[in-house]
Amino acid sequence: KLEGDDLIAVLYIHDEREWVMNYKLEDLLVTLRSKMANNLLPLENMEWERAGLADGIWIDESSVSVTQVVYPDSYILGYEGDDQAAKDIFEKENLSGNFVKQNYSHNSVPFYKKDGERIFYLYRTPGKWWTISSSL
C-alpha cells in the first residue's frame, strides 16, 4: 500500500504474473501494471504502463518508479514546541528518548520500543498516523 497526502495506492500481483497498482486521481481510477510479467524482479527495476481510456490500450508510463521504504534503526523523540500542554505530557509521561526498531511488525510496518521505567511503543496505525502507547 502506497500513501501520499491525498493518494492511497494498492500494489499487488495479478494472476501470479505482473504487478498492478490502482489509485484514484480526482474522480478517475488509474491502473498501472508492470510491463514485464515477472513478479520475481525487484520493483525498483520495473518499467510501468498505464491503462488508456480505450479498452485494451496500455501506454508507457516512464514517470512511475517504485522504491522500497527503509525504516531507520531508531527514532529519538522529544518535544521542542511552544504548546505547554504537549510539553507537560512529554515530561509527565517521560515520552522523550530513543525508540529502537523491533524485529517484528505491526500492520506490516516495523514498530519501535522505548525501554525504561515504563515501556512505550511507537507504531503506525492503519489510518497512517504514528502513535505512542504503552501497549500495541
Side-chain angles (χ1 to χ4, degrees), residues 69-130:
V69 173
V70 178
Y71 291 93
D73 291 333
S74 68
Y75 283 106
I76 297 174
L77 264 56
Y79 182 77
E80 297 179 359
D82 295 328
D83 185 332
Q84 189 60 46
K87 185 176 182 178
D88 290 346
I89 290 171
F90 262 79
E91 288 176 2
K92 179 183 173 198
E93 300 295 332
N94 194 21
L95 296 177
S96 297
N98 191 28
F99 286 75
V100 178
K101 183 167 68 171
Q102 303 301 297
N103 292 327
Y104 306 99
S105 66
H106 179 72
N107 296 323
S108 300
V109 175
F111 68 89
Y112 295 79
K113 179 179 173 187
K114 177 185 178 262
D115 288 320
E117 220 175 276
R118 285 181 62 198
I119 295 172
F120 287 103
Y121 298 95
L122 174 65
Y123 61 92
R124 194 163 179 197
T125 65
K128 78 180 180 181
W129 301 106
W130 285 93

Side-chain angles (χ1 to χ4, degrees), residues 28-41:
L28 182 65
L29 180 66
V30 178
T31 300
L32 300 166
R33 73 176 182 190
S34 57
K35 287 179 76 171
M36 295 181 62
N38 181 350
N39 62 24
L40 299 177
L41 285 176

